[in-house]
Amino acid sequence: MVYTTSSLFLKSLSLAGITHAFVNWGSDHPAMLEELQRQRFEGEHQGATSPCVITCPNEMVALSAAQGYAQVTGRPAAVIIHVDVGTQVRMLFKALAGAIHNVDRGRVPVLIYAGASPFTSRNEMKGSRNEWIMWLQDIPDQTAIVRQYMRYTAQINSGRNVVQIVKRALQIATSEPKGPVYLWARREVMEEELPFALYNSLSMKPHISVSPAALSPVDTMAISTALLTALHPLIITSHIGRNQDAVSSVLTLSTLLAVPVFCVCPSTVNIPFSHPFLFGITYLSPGPTTDSFEEHLQIADTVLVLDSDIPWIPSKCEPSEDGSRVFIIDSGDPLKTNVAMGTWDAALHRGVELICCADTETAVGQLVDVTKEHIGGSTTKLETVILEIRDRIKQRAQRIKQVHDKWIARLDGDESIPDVAKEGPSNLITVPHIMRALREVVAPISSKSLIINEAISNYGVVWEHARAEFPGSLLTSGGAVLGSSSSSGTGSDTMDYDLVTAVVGDGTFMFGVPSSAFWIARRYNTPFLTIVLNNGGWKSPKLSMLAVHPQGHGSKARSGEQLSVGFSFESRTQISAAQSDRISPSYSQIAVAATDGWAWGRSVSLSSDNATESPDLVWKTLKGVLAEAVRIVIEEKRCAVVDCLLEAL
């Protein structure tokens, strides 16, 4: 029996704890395919392979599925792709390179392996060039394509030390700041034959990630004192929920000192929705929640920023430069050194007093311990000061609760069914109603569900109206490249969820290579629900244009098609954007076709053109379709797509 570098590489992945490899095969992988078939033939893993191989007909789908798996489990997955074209060329179609951006910005540990063209061409070695494409796919520096996104890159030159290379890569990938690593090898190297004794004796102790860092005693005291003496403290966070154990520490600190929390551009659930000191969730786009955030940011005298990439946008609003004290704590990269301009605006704010690289769970736990000690003091000398602090905290808690309740009341109002007699037919049923319907349908039948939010122009709306309570119950990619949600749903559903729901825009749905994503879902029986918020095109580019040119020519465009951001097959330049005669893709049927009828799909018209029906009837129709879709996923174990036709952009 022949054992090769590929044999040792795959065994090294398994020994390192990687259970799943999301793969897109090419001409550089003969030895791997041979090794996997050897495993099946010999019954080494009861007829299966190790790692478990998930075939992915597109590279972005592969890495996005691996990202979903890693986000949910907290364990890295492997992705195996094809030479430079798998790494780069399909980048033109937002394939792997787009997904690499997401796992980098999202700090998701993934091991990516790519083969490379053989370096011999006259049969000098096994695996020499024997296909014409191998000359075209050979480039001077393959790792340069992805190096700026990677925590580590390395070339495998021999099977004899492959275990050390894999172990080092995973050690770096799982240490803060976590993220992707990239390994590559020439085909001859992966075909190198090695003795059975080397394969049989291969062992690996678990890789040791860097231990979480703590605040220094001086910094702990400085931040604690600032919070204790503040009149209007504020916590801003985006990503603390990536470490679910950190959430309880932040809740304790917020409750202990009555400090309100704003979640800004979140990638996961950082604070339970019902926490009375949660002020809101915002992506800093125009709207009442952003207005509230800007109001409280400007009056805050102490701002604690925890694991946030964009705590505010300086051109819109920032803390007062004269009256605010700003403290920044980040788990891995507090200066955001991978931001190209070399400056991170939050760190340059004049009010910044401390920038700390520390694990947020550990750091916030330290702050809790110190503040508890101070508030609990009772010596005569400090009694008056302590009583004043306690009284201030009590009064602040009452005010904060009122702000939270006002926010909830506004969300309740947005979700109420409109009265056409009073409000007219426009916007009968909107995104808040969709999220309310989803909650009401899912709550009685699912004890553990996950929402993947890729609604883009409706990001903040979905976050608020999902009303997520538990860490890990709502996720985004953490990056800016669109199209990952369907594939992430596939990867996430390898875990023990009752229901995985991807909430996407229609543009995002098409970016995600849905034919490949749904093919994988059927092939590996990982069903999920997709809700398409279909406004007939790319709304975000239009909003960006209007933010810069509010009164420009584009503001007078009669339709999305006229502005070249619409998806209707027919030009609608001469008709009102409110009309429903747009002929656009049938997104639900894309899933049905890709799975040969296995997936289930329906469209629901929710726009004002449905004015012949009462809002109550439209609401009942929506809720009925969602209920059936959820039943299809949970009971019949099939994918379901609900295409919600909203007002055209």
Side-chain angles (χ1 to χ4, degrees), residues 427 429-432 434-435 454-459 462 502-510 530-540 560-561 565-569 572 577-590 602-609 622 626 641-649:
N427 297 325
I429 301 297
T430 57
V431 176
I434 295 171
M435 297 309 297
E454 206 174 20
I456 311 309
S457 58
N458 283 298
Y459 248 152
V462 170
V503 182
V504 304
D506 46 345
T508 300
F509 183 83
M510 289 205 286
T530 301
I531 298 175
V532 182
L533 306 180
N534 183 353
N535 56 19
W538 290 318
K539 188 175 183 179
S540 292
E561 284 69 31
V565 297
F567 290 162
S568 175
F569 293 122
R572 297 168 58 248
Q579 288 182 292
S580 63
D581 61 351
R582 68 179 189 261
I583 304 175
S584 55
S586 179
Y587 300 112
S588 63
Q589 297 311 300
I590 292 175
R602 294 291 185 276
S603 295
V604 185
S605 179
L606 306 178
S607 71
S608 61
D609 308 304
L622 168 66
L626 283 176
V641 179
V642 178
D643 185 2
C644 297
L645 301 175
L646 304 172
E647 289 291 301
L649 55 86

Side-chain angles (χ1 to χ4, degrees), residues 174-238:
T174 56
S175 297
E176 294 290 354
K178 298 177 182 178
V181 293
Y182 183 87
L183 305 180
W184 70 285
R186 298 284 184 178
R187 192 165 78 160
E188 295 94 331
V189 173
M190 299 307 286
E191 293 281 356
E192 177 190 2
E193 295 184 9
L194 299 165
F196 171 74
L198 181 60
Y199 176 85
N200 193 48
S201 63
L202 187 68
S203 63
M204 179 191 294
K205 292 183 178 179
H207 59 274
I208 306 299
S209 305
V210 175
S211 296
L215 294 173
S216 71
V218 173
D219 290 350
T220 304
M221 186 58 66
I223 299 173
S224 300
T225 302
L227 291 171
L228 283 164
T229 57
L231 297 177
H232 301 287
L234 180 65
I235 293 175
I236 298 174
T237 186
S238 305

Side-chain angles (χ1 to χ4, degrees), residues 118-157:
F119 58 86
T120 61
S121 59
R122 299 180 184 275
N123 290 323
E124 297 95 333
M125 303 176 69
K126 190 172 184 178
S128 285
R129 297 184 184 189
N130 59 356
E131 300 177 50
W132 63 272
I133 56 172
M134 294 175 178
W135 277 265
L136 303 182
Q137 293 171 347
D138 193 9
I139 59 174
D141 189 355
Q142 185 167 302
T143 55
I145 301 169
V146 296
R147 188 177 290 118
Q148 62 184 324
Y149 296 97
M150 294 296 147
R151 303 297 182 268
Y152 174 73
T153 64
Q155 180 178 2
I156 299 172
N157 292 303

Side-chain angles (χ1 to χ4, degrees), residues 4 15 29 40 66 93 99 107 115 148 153 200 230 243 282 316 344 372 398 421 428 471 490 528 536 631:
T4 63
L15 292 174
H29 301 128
R40 299 183 188 99
F93 304 99
R107 295 192 186 180
Q148 62 184 324
T153 64
N200 193 48
N243 174 6
T282 177
K316 293 183 176 181
W344 185 48
K372 278 183 177 180
Q398 294 174 348
L428 293 181
T490 299
F528 60 95
R631 188 195 68 79

Side-chain angles (χ1 to χ4, degrees), residues 363-422:
V364 175
Q366 291 175 279
L367 299 178
V368 168
D369 291 341
V370 172
T371 51
K372 278 183 177 180
E373 183 179 344
H374 278 70
I375 294 175
S378 59
T379 63
T380 304
K381 184 177 180 180
L382 297 177
E383 188 172 356
T384 302
V385 175
I386 292 171
L387 290 175
E388 288 178 356
I389 292 174
R390 289 174 179 171
D391 185 58
R392 185 162 61 243
I393 292 171
K394 184 177 180 180
Q395 293 181 28
R396 188 163 62 227
Q398 294 174 348
R399 295 196 305 270
I400 294 173
K401 181 65 165 59
Q402 292 173 355
V403 174
H404 175 84
D405 291 345
K406 183 179 178 180
W407 174 50
I408 301 301
R410 177 176 62 78
L411 298 183
D412 289 342
D414 291 343
E415 293 177 1
S416 63
I417 308 304
D419 186 339
V420 174
K422 296 180 180 178

Side-chain angles (χ1 to χ4, degrees), residues 97-109:
I100 284 174
H101 163 95
N102 286 341
V103 292
D104 170 33
R105 296 304 191 193
R107 295 192 186 180
V108 180

